[in-house]
Amino acid sequence: MEECRCVLTVELPKDWKKISTGLNKISEDVFYADNYDILIDSPLEMGNQNILEFEIQGIKHFICLTGEGKYKDEIIINDFRKIAEEQIKFFGGKIPYEHYTFIIHLVEKGGGGLEHLNSFVAQFARLNFSDENLYRKFLGLVSHEYFHLWNVKRIRPFELGPFDYNKENYTKSLWIAEGWTSFFDNLFIRRCGLINDEEYFEFIENEYNDVMRFKGRFHQSLSESSFDTWIKFYRKDENFSNTQISYYTKGALVAMMLNIEIIKNTNCEKSLDDVMRILYKDYEKDRSKGYTQERIKEVCESVNGGELNEFWKMYVYGTDEIPVEEYLGFAGMEVTDTTNSASADLGIESRTENGKLIIIKVIDGGSSYKYGLNFRDEIISVNNFRVNEENIKSILSGIKPGDEIKVIISREGLIKEISLTLLKPIPKFKIKRMEIITDLQEKVFQKWIPG
Ligand SMILES: [Zn+2]
């Protein structure tokens, strides 16, 4: 009965007063969906949530906030509206839904979201509204999930809809579905003026640091990372960062590079914006099926005015180092390494379990990896000081790259002593504009980040 129209009647518990959903209404508590797909792609929030409203072109938008939180209604409405208006303008001004519902769960801690046809659900920590940095990230998330109403829910990989709900649906295109969305989400909050250039650069910086810290980028391509998400990305193990990459962060950086590549090759006439718009036109022409990987490349090449075989071979299908610095250079931006070269670290992540300091990750390229510390080793002492989570930093302070230290561990209940020479810490990069910028660099920058 997948194609059948269905009616849903909600019987609320006595003290619950409100229903928020993307479903169309027949009456206050009766809704309908044209088919099964729409029904299950429309979550319902039921309770006593705070519902805010705004209109764009006469179309109603509902922001449903569940749970206590330290926010101001008018700021939320204003910021959400700006994001929505910017994206609607981007796709030509026509709104593809009859109403939209933002469902926000205010929780103690945590975050994340999931897109739906004309709604999304996201989480944010109730007390974090006053932290500017965290609130910016939340706006990035709102922009991300909202952008999905185009990129994923409508412009979608061939494999993702109509779905076969009986099995996992595999696609090699999540680096477009999620990676490009991760590129555009922050760009939109910059373009609509909710953040400034420096704040925008910080988002790119975080993605760049995330990708460059880990050797996984040399082992798994974007295309493979997309395909393996069912068994890898959402089932991360301790070795994840050494062997795999995120199609979100690397996908966003490759989208940024591709954007600059197109701008550069078209004398600043075209960009990835144009690619997105053509893909949306494709969807409007034939809504029954999504894009193939080949179609994406074809559209990029037509906008670019020349083939992109090498680009795809190296950065989509391959594991070549991504030359982010070089691309940022075309836009008059530079990358600096801000790591304190006098400091050293063990290159592990650890946590306390039953009073023991246990290694939960050993990072490829770090000292511990090189000298044989392992996942699940208990660190007992460093240079004869008993260690715990709190004092490990002070024990390591003053120890420089090249110095040798003595670590005593317990592995599977056996005591071992390991000497290791500390290596430089994993680099931390900062992105800023160059001191001297040529006219061409400025033109590229303006085409990318107008505002
Ligand atoms: Zn997403």
Side-chain angles (χ1 to χ4, degrees):
M1 296 170 72
E2 276 173 21
E3 294 309 319
C4 294
R5 191 175 201 235
C6 48
V7 172
L8 178 74
T9 305
V10 180
E11 289 175 26
L12 288 180
K14 180 162 78 29
D15 299 330
W16 291 12
K17 304 285 181 231
K18 296 174 187 173
I19 305 164
S20 302
T21 178
L23 288 172
N24 286 331
K25 248 186 203 179
I26 294 172
S27 69
E28 276 315 297
D29 49 6
V30 183
F31 303 87
Y32 74 90
D34 283 335
N35 56 44
Y36 178 74
D37 196 60
I38 294 175
L39 176 72
I40 62 158
D41 201 13
S42 306
L44 290 105
E45 182 74 19
M46 295 170 277
N48 297 313
Q49 61 268 28
N50 180 22
I51 301 176
L52 311 175
E53 264 187 68
F54 65 88
E55 284 187 13
I56 301 174
Q57 300 171 23
I59 289 177
K60 283 203 156 85
H61 294 70
F62 304 96
I63 307 169
C64 144
L65 295 125
T66 299
E68 294 295 312
K70 298 262 283 173
Y71 60 88
K72 287 210 172 68
D73 289 359
E74 58 279 15
I75 294 178
I76 297 288
I77 292 174
N78 181 51
D79 294 354
F80 279 46
R81 178 209 288 277
K82 275 190 175 161
I83 291 168
E85 281 173 343
E86 189 67 35
Q87 298 193 19
I88 292 165
K89 189 176 76 187
F90 178 87
F91 282 106
K94 208 170 126 241
I95 301 179
Y97 48 78
E98 288 163 28
H99 50 92
Y100 193 92
T101 301
F102 304 85
I103 300 175
I104 310 293
H105 292 162
L106 300 177
V107 290
E108 185 185 3
K109 57 180 178 187
L114 192 64
E115 67 279 5
H116 298 285
L117 196 62
N118 61 336
S119 65
F120 74 67
V121 182
Q123 291 80 43
F124 188 52
R126 63 178 96 256
L127 296 177
N128 285 352
F129 288 95
S130 55
D131 182 317
E132 284 180 20
N133 188 27
L134 295 173
Y135 183 62
R136 273 200 297 279
K137 285 192 180 150
F138 173 63
L139 292 178
L141 173 68
V142 170
S143 180
H144 181 101
E145 302 305 341
Y146 185 75
F147 188 63
H148 272 323
L149 87 88
W150 286 279
N151 192 28
V152 160
K153 295 313 305 179
R154 289 169 177 83
I155 303 166
R156 62 185 189 276
F158 186 77
E159 301 84 359
L160 299 188
F163 286 106
D164 178 352
Y165 290 104
N166 289 309
K167 59 178 180 59
E168 296 168 346
N169 293 270
Y170 290 88
T171 174
K172 289 183 176 168
S173 300
L174 291 180
W175 67 279
I176 299 158
E178 291 298 352
W180 289 22
T181 301
S182 298
F183 166 67
F184 279 107
D185 55 13
N186 300 322
L187 185 55
F188 283 121
I189 59 171
R190 170 66 199 101
R191 284 182 182 171
C192 74
L194 286 170
I195 57 171
N196 61 31
D197 283 347
E198 284 67 36
E199 288 159 350
Y200 177 55
F201 298 165
E202 241 172 71
F203 280 112
I204 305 172
E205 231 164 73
N206 290 340
E207 286 159 351
Y208 189 51
N209 282 318
D210 181 69
V211 173
M212 300 310 282
R213 273 167 71 201
F214 303 119
K215 294 280 170 71
R217 68 188 191 278
F218 298 121
H219 298 291
Q220 190 190 42
S221 70
L222 273 180
S223 174
E224 284 169 335
S225 165
S226 301
F227 193 75
D228 283 349
T229 191
W230 290 92
I231 53 163
K232 302 274 175 68
F233 191 76
Y234 285 101
R235 291 183 195 172
K236 284 181 188 144
D237 65 11
E238 69 281 359
N239 213 26
F240 178 86
S241 43
N242 294 335
T243 53
Q244 287 144 56
I245 52 111
S246 156
Y247 48 79
Y248 284 89
T249 47
K250 187 178 169 185
L253 293 171
V254 168
M256 182 186 79
M257 286 162 40
L258 184 58
N259 180 49
I260 297 174
E261 178 76 24
I262 295 172
I263 295 175
K264 178 167 77 72
N265 293 340
T266 57
N267 194 23
C268 304
E269 296 286 324
K270 304 273 179 198
S271 71
L272 202 62
D273 296 10
D274 300 281
V275 173
M276 274 325 304
R277 292 187 193 113
I278 293 174
L279 292 172
Y280 189 53
K281 282 210 179 92
D282 277 5
Y283 160 79
E284 286 188 310
K285 252 184 252 159
D286 179 5
R287 297 176 182 213
S288 69
K289 57 180 194 292
Y291 58 75
T292 58
Q293 288 218 87
E294 292 70 34
R295 177 63 186 155
I296 295 292
K297 184 162 172 275
E298 187 184 285
V299 174
C300 289
E301 288 176 338
S302 76
V303 172
N304 183 53
E307 53 88 8
L308 289 160
N309 295 337
E310 277 301 291
F311 190 97
W312 246 254
K313 203 174 118 210
M314 291 191 289
Y315 313 127
V316 177
Y317 303 133
T319 54
D320 289 55
E321 183 72 294
I322 42 172
V324 166
E325 268 193 78
E326 189 189 325
Y327 276 96
L328 287 173
F330 293 126
M333 289 153 74
E334 61 186 352
V335 176
T336 49
D337 183 354
T338 60
T339 324
N340 179 357
S341 55
S343 71
D345 79 355
L346 283 168
I348 54 162
E349 281 177 30
S350 57
R351 73 167 170 240
T352 307
E353 290 176 13
N354 301 323
K356 297 170 177 173
L357 191 64
I358 304 290
I359 297 179
I360 54 167
K361 203 184 262 186
V362 185
I363 297 160
D364 186 358
S367 331
S368 298
Y369 192 97
K370 184 170 177 191
Y371 292 93
L373 287 178
N374 278 354
F375 173 66
R376 300 302 304 168
D377 284 350
E378 175 198 352
I379 311 179
I380 295 172
S381 71
V382 172
N383 285 350
N384 293 330
F385 292 106
R386 187 80 165 93
V387 295
N388 56 46
E389 231 167 309
E390 286 77 45
N391 71 9
I392 189 155
K393 252 205 168 130
S394 28
I395 293 173
L396 288 172
S397 77
I399 302 176
K400 290 181 290 305
D403 290 353
E404 194 173 292
I405 60 168
K406 187 177 80 180
V407 182
I408 291 176
I409 58 157
S410 166
R411 178 177 298 162
E412 296 274 335
L414 295 177
I415 302 295
K416 277 183 187 295
E417 184 181 314
I418 294 179
S419 293
L420 54 89
T421 305
L422 284 175
L423 306 174
K424 275 193 216 148
I426 293 159
K428 196 164 172 4
F429 299 102
K430 180 111 199 94
I431 293 172
K432 57 180 176 60
R433 295 213 78 186
M434 291 171 175
E435 300 272 320
I436 299 162
I437 294 168
T438 66
D439 288 351
L440 181 61
Q441 284 171 324
E442 184 59 27
K443 238 174 119 186
V444 173
F445 186 82
Q446 289 304 330
K447 182 70 188 166
W448 167 16
I449 315 170

